[in-house]
Amino acid sequence: MDSGDSHLLYRSVWFMFAVMMVLGMASVSEARVHYHKWKISYQNWSPDCMQVTIISINGQYPGPTIKAREGDTVVVEIDNQMPTENVVIHWHGIRQIETPWSDGTASMSQCAIQPSTTYIYRYAADRPGTYFYHGHYGLQRSAGFYGSLIVDSAETEPFVYDGELSIILNDWWHTSTYQQAAGLLSNPFVWVGEPQSLLIEGRGKYNCSAGSSTTCNVTSNQCLPHILPVKPGKTYRLRIASVASLSSLNFLIQGHKMTVVEADGHYVEPVEVENLDVYSGESYSVLIRADQDSSKNYWAAVNVRGRKPITPTGLAVLNYLPNPSTNLPTKPPPPSPVWNDYAYSKTLAKKFLALAGHEEPPPMKPTRQLILLNTQNKINGFIKWAINNISLVPPPTPYLAAMKYKIHGAYDTTPPPDAYHPRDYNITIPPINPNAVEGSGVYVFELNSVVDVILQNANTLTKNSSEIHPWHLHGHDFWILGFGEGVFDPLKDPKKYNLVNPPLRNTVPLFPYGWTALRFKADNPGVWAFHCHLEAHFFMGMGVMFAEGIHKVGRLPRSAMGCGLVLNKMMHH
């Protein structure tokens, strides 16, 4: 090579390097920081026409929608103006990579935010998808403390649409969360009961003749049906999430089919459905085409699944423009499947598969396996939920700080059991010995290990009763490898796993008297909750703690750790 050629090569290399630098700088410059300042306070509100006290954000219900783009940073400054309540906010579906202290779990990832104090959450919107946020302290989600969190893709998505809509589904009570908590913690036990209403984007309709005339106002603007505006002939992406406290829900739109294209932030093979089960903690994107008679409007409806429904249908309006949104549909909404048609729900759940070419396949084998038995139990006469006979009671010192700083006595260092003994337990009847124990232990995994979790359902304390439990994992997504009936067989059942195209999710249902198998990589340093997403169930101990790579966790913000045994420790760091 002569000097001219070498000089040309040198210039070419530098040109390519310069281009790469510019592209890199462009991508960095495109990433934005979204700053939000939120005041958390009580408000009198009428979500279903009955006035109650809710927890609001900046006087809004539901809370403000956070919208970001993949790669952006979200910063939320919380000002807790509630005089008698601590708060935390969990950013459901955001993995909190390198920011485990921003996961928003009291006594787990941080100290709760006390009244008249502020706290700043900062995290990366690391992956596109449909997410949401909610209170994760006590029963605050039941008090209306939630909102949407939408992360747009930085790349072209594998489906096309003309417009976008977003809704959150919820169930609603008129009793305060204080009353509900007092009942759950009492002996004799007082259950919260079935919800009074179902809400779509914070709006429903309670029969005011059944309530107090002074606090129920059917003409309140706050309980007018939520409107979904569409233009004839257009295709819309409808983002749907459930923050329900108790109910499994089924969503449908009168006269319109839906095509499911995204679940919990991951693309799935398109599935056309007439109605969609949405369990608490789940989120979906569906495509709907406005191809019906455009002179009419249509109901969007939500019904209870998995529990005998005594709650009326929740309704919103699919409004064909330019029709007035006040033109309500004249025909009743079509029914959802029968509440206890579990075969329907299982068949639907198995239809969701990862979209080819867009998702990483699961590792072929696990490093470790947990079999977690879900039971209803008693502790000193009080009704609780337990996993492998341990009912979770988080300690005053957040696990994250306790483990990072090796604080002695902060939590139970005896690891919980990896499995129960199926030969010694009959899942089809109430437990012969219902007694359980309270615990605060942690499952500790090797960093980057592959973990299988088998959730095993059982009978409750009541005969012929086994409930749907939607399980949510913080800090990770998992592959759903399979669902099964009866008792999990560790020799036979893994042979039936889907290892080709299982969906990646962060929430999954556990069906009555059955099992659900998950696989995930323990690749996110931190301490993470894995729990039933039903408010009362987690409140009553239905959860476990996972930890990995604590030595890789960065310096903890002092503002997140000013409580429990960690307070003195932080003062010396």
Side-chain angles (χ1 to χ4, degrees), residues 367-368 444-451 522-523 547-549:
T367 312
R368 186 170 170 189
V444 179
F445 306 123
E446 289 289 329
L447 186 62
N448 297 317
S449 62
V450 177
V451 182
D523 58 0
E548 73 251 20

Coordinates of all heavy atoms in Angstrom, one line a residue, residues 367-368 444-451 522-523 547-549:
T367 N -31.2 -22.6 36.5 CA -30.1 -22.9 37.5 C -30.8 -23.3 38.8 O -30.2 -24.1 39.6 CB -29.4 -21.6 37.7 OG1 -29.0 -21.0 36.5 CG2 -28.1 -21.8 38.6
R368 N -32.0 -22.8 39.0 CA -32.7 -23.1 40.3 C -34.2 -23.1 40.1 O -34.7 -22.4 39.2 CB -32.3 -22.0 41.3 CG -32.8 -22.2 42.7 CD -32.2 -21.2 43.7 NE -32.8 -21.2 45.0 CZ -32.5 -20.2 45.9 NH1 -31.6 -19.3 45.6 NH2 -33.1 -20.3 47.1
V444 N -32.3 -15.5 47.7 CA -31.1 -14.8 47.1 C -30.6 -15.7 46.0 O -30.4 -16.9 46.1 CB -30.0 -14.6 48.2 CG1 -28.8 -14.0 47.5 CG2 -30.5 -13.8 49.3
F445 N -30.5 -15.1 44.8 CA -30.0 -15.8 43.6 C -28.6 -15.3 43.2 O -28.3 -14.2 43.4 CB -31.0 -15.5 42.4 CG -32.4 -15.9 42.8 CD1 -33.4 -14.9 42.6 CD2 -32.8 -17.1 43.2 CE1 -34.7 -15.1 42.9 CE2 -34.1 -17.4 43.5 CZ -35.1 -16.4 43.4
E446 N -27.9 -16.2 42.6 CA -26.6 -15.8 41.9 C -27.0 -14.9 40.8 O -27.9 -15.1 40.0 CB -25.9 -17.1 41.4 CG -25.3 -18.0 42.5 CD -24.2 -17.4 43.2 OE1 -23.4 -16.6 42.6 OE2 -24.0 -17.6 44.4
L447 N -26.2 -13.8 40.7 CA -26.4 -12.9 39.6 C -26.3 -13.6 38.2 O -25.3 -14.4 38.0 CB -25.4 -11.7 39.7 CG -25.5 -10.6 38.7 CD1 -26.9 -9.9 38.9 CD2 -24.4 -9.6 38.9
N448 N -27.2 -13.3 37.4 CA -27.3 -13.8 36.0 C -27.7 -15.3 36.0 O -27.6 -16.0 34.9 CB -26.0 -13.7 35.2 CG -25.7 -12.2 35.0 OD1 -26.6 -11.4 34.7 ND2 -24.4 -11.8 35.2
S449 N -28.1 -15.9 37.1 CA -28.6 -17.2 37.1 C -30.0 -17.3 36.5 O -30.7 -16.2 36.4 CB -28.7 -17.8 38.5 OG -29.5 -17.0 39.4
V450 N -30.5 -18.4 36.1 CA -31.8 -18.6 35.5 C -32.7 -19.3 36.5 O -32.4 -20.4 37.0 CB -31.7 -19.5 34.2 CG1 -33.1 -19.7 33.6 CG2 -30.8 -18.8 33.2
V451 N -33.8 -18.7 36.8 CA -34.7 -19.2 37.9 C -36.0 -19.6 37.4 O -36.7 -18.8 36.6 CB -34.9 -18.1 39.0 CG1 -35.8 -18.6 40.1 CG2 -33.6 -17.6 39.5
A522 N -32.0 -13.7 36.7 CA -31.8 -12.9 37.9 C -30.6 -12.0 37.5 O -29.5 -12.1 38.0 CB -31.5 -13.7 39.1
D523 N -30.9 -11.0 36.6 CA -29.8 -10.2 36.1 C -29.9 -8.7 36.4 O -29.3 -7.9 35.7 CB -29.8 -10.4 34.5 CG -31.1 -10.0 33.9 OD1 -32.0 -9.6 34.6 OD2 -31.2 -10.1 32.6
A547 N -33.7 -11.4 45.6 CA -32.5 -10.5 45.6 C -31.4 -11.1 44.8 O -31.3 -12.4 44.7 CB -32.0 -10.2 47.0
E548 N -30.6 -10.3 44.1 CA -29.5 -10.7 43.4 C -28.5 -9.6 43.2 O -28.9 -8.4 43.1 CB -29.8 -11.3 42.0 CG -30.2 -10.3 41.0 CD -31.7 -10.3 40.6 OE1 -32.5 -10.9 41.4 OE2 -32.1 -9.8 39.6
G549 N -27.2 -9.9 43.1 CA -26.2 -8.9 42.8 C -26.2 -7.7 43.7 O -25.9 -6.6 43.2

